[in-house]
Amino acid sequence: GDSVTQTEGQVALSEEDFLTIHCNYSASGYPTLFWYVQYPGEGPQLLFRASRDKEKGSSRGFEATYDKGTTSFHLRKASVQESDSAVYYCALRITGNTGKLIFGLGTTLQVQP
Amino acid sequence: NSKVIQTPRYLVKGQGQKAKMRCIPEKGHPVVFWYQQNKNNEFKFLINFQNQEVLQQIDMTEKRFSAECPSNSPCSLEIQSSEAGDSALYLCASSLRRHQAPLFGEGTRLSVL
């Protein structure tokens, strides 16, 4: 079935560290991939999306490249800040469905000053 | 700021009680989604609408969950007889088109005692 796997449940970094959060997916049809960020007490906010092979999404210094060959959409940021502390979700939508998103279990990022 | 408005923010019910939450989608967005996010950060798609029509919904065979999006009124999600396992964050999201990334509200946190 359609699914999203985020390898890291929790990531602890110091400011200015490099961030990678791994996201792999399984899709029964043509996928669109998303990264959302959720801060405490808030709903998820879209970072960016990608729907074509090798398409790169980016926002707020975060970026990810959709790789059809490895079925991946890993999130990266060159230099994290304390304000980046949040939960990050990779999500999948299958083209032709009703718009429903399938979310990964999320990665909690904690950045120490 | 554009946003999806969910009320109430917090809802406390006893087991067996009815729980109702409301959502005003972003202005002009005809597509509305409801998700349940549990304490383990797992997202469960519940139902989505385009205007007043249901696009897709989970198998609500227990019939405890019902939802509607009447014209010119807030959308709503109702649990007829709350159970402890229903305690979660209920997120409403809306989009202009089915295949646009949805905009999420801040959620209604339901606690069933």
Side-chain angles (χ1 to χ4, degrees):
Chain A
D2 302 322
S3 65
V4 175
T5 301
Q6 291 181 234
T7 310
E8 298 88 358
Q10 295 193 341
V11 174
L13 297 173
S14 298
E15 281 194 325
E16 300 184 10
D17 280 352
F18 188 92
L19 169 71
T20 300
I21 298 176
H22 294 94
C23 171
N24 288 89
Y25 68 89
S26 173
S28 59
Y30 193 88
T32 297
L33 282 302
F34 303 81
W35 276 104
Y36 278 84
V37 58
Q38 187 174 27
Y39 299 98
E42 298 182 13
Q45 301 173 22
L46 178 69
L47 279 175
F48 50 79
R49 52 175 275 182
S51 58
R52 297 186 306 275
D53 188 24
K54 303 298 185 286
E55 179 179 357
K56 184 165 91 172
S58 62
S59 175
R60 310 184 205 177
F62 293 90
E63 63 178 40
T65 300
Y66 166 30
D67 189 322
K68 184 179 177 181
T70 58
T71 60
S72 67
F73 193 53
H74 306 318
L75 182 68
R76 293 184 169 92
K77 186 174 186 181
S79 177
V80 295
Q81 302 301 311
E82 187 178 7
S83 58
D84 293 327
S85 297
V87 184
Y88 292 80
Y89 293 95
C90 185
L92 163 72
R93 186 188 65 219
I94 303 300
T95 299
N97 78 4
T98 63
K100 176 182 81 171
L101 295 181
I102 298 163
F103 286 85
L105 292 181
T107 298
T108 300
L109 172 64
Q110 186 68 43
V111 180
Q112 300 293 334
Chain B
N1 282 345
S2 303
K3 56 192 308 182
V4 173
I5 307 297
Q6 290 189 249
T7 57
R9 288 296 307 277
Y10 302 93
L11 192 54
V12 180
K13 295 293 179 181
Q15 294 199 50
Q17 289 187 319
K18 188 181 297 187
K20 187 169 186 175
M21 56 203 82
R22 292 175 175 82
C23 170
I24 300 175
E26 166 64 28
K27 187 175 182 180
H29 282 190
V31 183
V32 175
F33 302 81
W34 285 99
Y35 291 88
Q36 178 195 65
Q37 185 181 24
N38 68 19
K39 63 180 181 180
N40 296 320
N41 287 338
E42 294 170 304
F43 283 78
K44 180 180 181 180
F45 168 82
L46 297 176
I47 191 169
N48 60 351
F49 295 84
Q50 181 153 356
N51 297 309
Q52 294 78 54
E53 293 191 14
V54 175
L55 293 174
Q56 186 179 3
Q57 62 182 355
I58 64 166
D59 183 11
M60 297 182 180
T61 54
E62 291 186 46
K63 303 300 184 187
R64 295 189 302 111
F65 287 73
S66 62
E68 61 176 2
C69 273
S71 61
N72 301 316
S73 294
C75 298
S76 64
L77 176 68
E78 187 171 70
I79 306 172
Q80 292 300 319
S81 178
S82 301
E83 298 177 357
D86 298 330
S87 296
L89 181 67
Y90 289 84
L91 290 162
C92 177
S94 72
S95 63
L96 184 60
R97 297 181 185 83
R98 297 182 192 184
H99 293 257
Q100 281 191 333
L103 176 68
F104 282 84
E106 294 185 326
T108 292
R109 185 164 295 283
L110 173 65
S111 296
V112 182
L113 306 178

